[in-house]
């Protein structure tokens, strides 16, 4: 089951999607090793494979325009044998590592987009 977090960002889906694209462009040297974009629906959704602590994850950002802001839902699904081993070694009690990574990513995105909008 994916880990989901929702943030409200005071910007349009277009501005948020553009910020995500800029981040991906800036990290293009790591494409294939740390991330791969699997699917894009401009200004609405981006799905990618990312690596967090050597564990592959599926990360999806879904953008929903609301009254004066955009809700961005981040869904993170770790997978693979390394994740299975991690869950066994931690008795399934360390899932918060991935929750923290998702919250930090969304918080950083929110800060960057809202800073840009304020300029």
């Amino acid at each position: 089951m994916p880990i989901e977090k929702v943030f409200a960002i005071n910007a349009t889906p277009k501005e948020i999607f553009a910020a995500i694209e800029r981040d991906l462009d800036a990290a293009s040297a790591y494409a294939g090793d740390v991330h791969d974009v699997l699917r894009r629906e401009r200004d609405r959704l981006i799905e990618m494979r990312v690596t967090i602590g050597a564990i592959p994850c599926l990360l999806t950002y879904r953008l929903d325009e609301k009254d004066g802001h955009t809700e961005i839902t981040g869904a993170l699904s770790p997978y693979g044998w390394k994740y299975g081993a991690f869950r066994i070694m931690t008795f399934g009690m360390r899932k918060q590592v991935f929750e923290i990574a998702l919250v930090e990513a969304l918080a950083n995105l929110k800060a960057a987009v809202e800073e840009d909008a304020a300029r």
Side-chain angles (χ1 to χ4, degrees):
M1 178 183 299
I3 300 162
E4 285 194 2
K5 302 294 177 188
V6 179
F7 273 53
I9 299 179
N10 294 316
T12 66
K14 183 176 184 172
E15 292 167 320
I16 297 167
F17 198 88
I20 294 169
E21 291 285 336
R22 281 192 303 273
D23 285 349
L24 289 172
D25 286 346
S28 64
Y30 303 103
D33 294 327
V34 178
H35 73 276
D36 283 316
V37 175
L38 304 173
R39 187 174 88 172
R40 284 181 171 96
E41 293 179 26
R42 183 139 318 271
D43 304 337
R44 191 175 165 288
L45 179 130
I46 191 158
E47 185 176 281
M48 61 190 107
R49 183 198 56 79
V50 298
T51 303
I52 299 173
I55 296 176
C57 303
L58 181 62
L59 174 62
T60 303
Y61 289 139
R62 188 178 66 243
L63 306 170
D64 297 305
E65 194 163 15
K66 302 289 182 181
D67 295 326
H69 71 278
T70 300
E71 282 187 0
I72 181 166
T73 302
L76 184 68
S77 299
Y79 65 90
W81 72 266
K82 288 180 184 178
Y83 181 61
F86 174 81
R87 301 255 314 149
I88 290 168
M89 290 186 310
T90 63
F91 302 104
M93 312 259 315
R94 304 302 284 172
K95 181 176 155 183
Q96 68 266 30
V97 170
F98 297 97
E99 290 182 46
I100 291 167
L102 180 57
V103 168
E104 285 180 351
L106 289 168
N108 290 341
L109 178 62
K110 177 181 173 69
V113 170
E114 290 181 353
E115 268 181 35
D116 286 348
R119 289 183 194 161

